[in-house]
Amino acid sequence: MAEEHYGYSPEDILKLKTFDLYDDKEELDKMLNKLRNNGIVKRYEINLKKKDGTLVPSSISISLLKDGNNNTKGSVGVARDVSDRKAAEEELKKYREHLEEMVEQRTAALRAANEQLKREISDRRRAEEALRKSEAKYRELVENANSIILRMDPTGRVTFFNEFAQTFFDFPAEEIMGQNVVGTIVPEVESSGRDLAAMIADIGRHPERYVTNENENMKRNGERVWVAWTNKGVVDERGNIVEILCVGNDITERRQLAHQLIQAQKMEAVGRLAGGLAHDFNNLLSAILGYAGIMRLDLPPDNPFHHQVQEIIMAAHRGASLTHQLLAFSRKQIMQPQVVDLNDVVTGLEKMLRPLIGEDIALVTTLDPGLGAVKVDPGQMEQVIMNLVVNARDAMPNGGRLSLETANIYLDESYAQPDREFIPGKYIRLAVSDNGVGMDAETQAQIFEPFFTTKDDKGTGLGLTMVQGIVKRSHGHIEVYSQLGQGTTFKIYLPRCLEAVEAPRVREAPRQELRGRETILVVEDDRAVRDVVARALRRYGYCVLEARHGSAGLQICTQQKGPIHLMLTDVVMPEMSGPKLREHLAALHPDIKMLYMSGYTENAIAHLGVLDRKAAFLQKPFSVTALLEKVREVLDTQPDKS
């Protein structure tokens, strides 16, 4: 809208400085001082400069954004063009001045001598004609204004309702004239009468001022909308208010966008929290897997505790799977495609879905036993299914039936459409169906748009947008079929993969060929993880040096006389990160090989510059076997000379 109204493209806006948008620097300083002092500026009127230099009278509202420590991290503002209002006010002012002038002329004419009666009558007729034309001009201006304009008496009864207001509220003039605004265009709630009385009283105290307010209004069909009002008292010659002129503009969309921004910020905060929790949880799981793995090495297969240790390891792997799902729901995962059986993904989620949807919804899965493989990120496909299931649940508030189906399907050229990237061939179809309230065609056309939601304050409007994005990045298509009262079906088509599904394997005890005699520096701030990694490496012949953070690791490397073949380091640590430590070691040990490990996702630490294709990375939690295999793999690779 800024591009259309002010002429600036998004790229232009990013290049501008704050002062470039304002014409009056002194007035800008006043507004900014008010923002700094109060933390908020409401409806501050100032001129904004279009790209072509034209000045636009605007009403600015700005709020400072604070973090948890009450530090300012930014601001959010809304600018509204008040040119029409200013023009209307100016026209009203001219009209009043003109009326006063004509009244003075008439008064002077009436006081003239009787002998000039004929001339006075002629002057009066001319004045009346001018007044008629002026009133006609005023009425034309008011009726054609693209704003709500109404007049009411001091009790709140409507005395004028312009054509735009009639269309906007769907109230014919004959039905609302003489009616109180409360109960017609103002919802009849307990506070409505008090708010109206307070506004009228404020105008009575300061009839020379414009009183502004934003409040929820109501159309004839009950639909609620938000309107920004500018109100001015019309006084008689004694200074008593006889009418109130109200000019309003619809700000419903603006308020929705502001609410969606807040929701998006909340989702980002949830994502950050989930990422931090996953990091700490992965450290705990790494320690559990490591110690349990070492215990299993010390126990012969016939020992009665061997099975119990194995169960601990399996439980830790399930915990790692839960962490993966947590990160998927927090939208912190990058695409990590694998060849999978979609039936396994659905089956793995089924236990989680049943308590999620509630007892009044029947969950039915129909899975093709001969289903082909697909190459997708299983965690993100879980997110897709979860989003669709939650939407289906919300569409069945009184219970119903939810179906998940998979099938092999061949799509030929007849499936192609102009707006769809499509290659004919074999596909896997996943269908999620409900028998809920359904959607009309208008809603279906918008469901994949960012921030569009039918859940009022309960939804962010981001779920289906992300579902579509994940499906597209997986080279698939998504379609929706729905009718009001008949339920909804989402169909996802994913290209069938000819590669075989790699069955997950439980790592057995480390093999002897994973042994080594190299020197390895382990840098890890979590004591339990550092201890279990060092124990496992020493058990398999390696010489291990330990450091609890980057600075300690740098000191060890400075004092070490012999070579250090590999540094196994956490990425994010206090005092010095793993990548920074590597930079400091470049001169001391130029040939040292690097293996990074982290409980954060690769996406969360990408900004540290370690996730290029050349960097070796070990995602926590990991087993002893996974650790030894990765260490041996890095040590056996040829050094990178680039």
Side-chain angles (χ1 to χ4, degrees), residues 141-155:
L141 172 67
V142 170
E143 290 294 351
N144 295 326
N146 194 29
S147 294
I148 304 163
I149 300 178
L150 66 88
R151 296 166 77 104
M152 61 183 178
D153 65 21
T155 67

Side-chain angles (χ1 to χ4, degrees), residues 573-589:
M573 295 180 293
E575 298 190 28
M576 186 184 300
S577 68
K580 285 294 182 184
L581 175 59
R582 177 66 183 92
E583 292 178 13
H584 287 296
L585 292 180
L588 293 173
H589 296 273

Side-chain angles (χ1 to χ4, degrees), residues 203-230:
I203 292 176
R205 288 189 296 270
H206 307 284
E208 75 285 357
R209 297 181 184 175
Y210 290 96
V211 177
T212 59
N213 64 294
E214 296 180 359
N215 65 309
E216 190 175 36
N217 290 94
M218 180 174 63
K219 294 186 178 183
R220 189 181 186 188
N221 62 1
E223 178 187 351
R224 301 297 179 95
V225 291
W226 279 87
V227 178
W229 294 99
T230 300

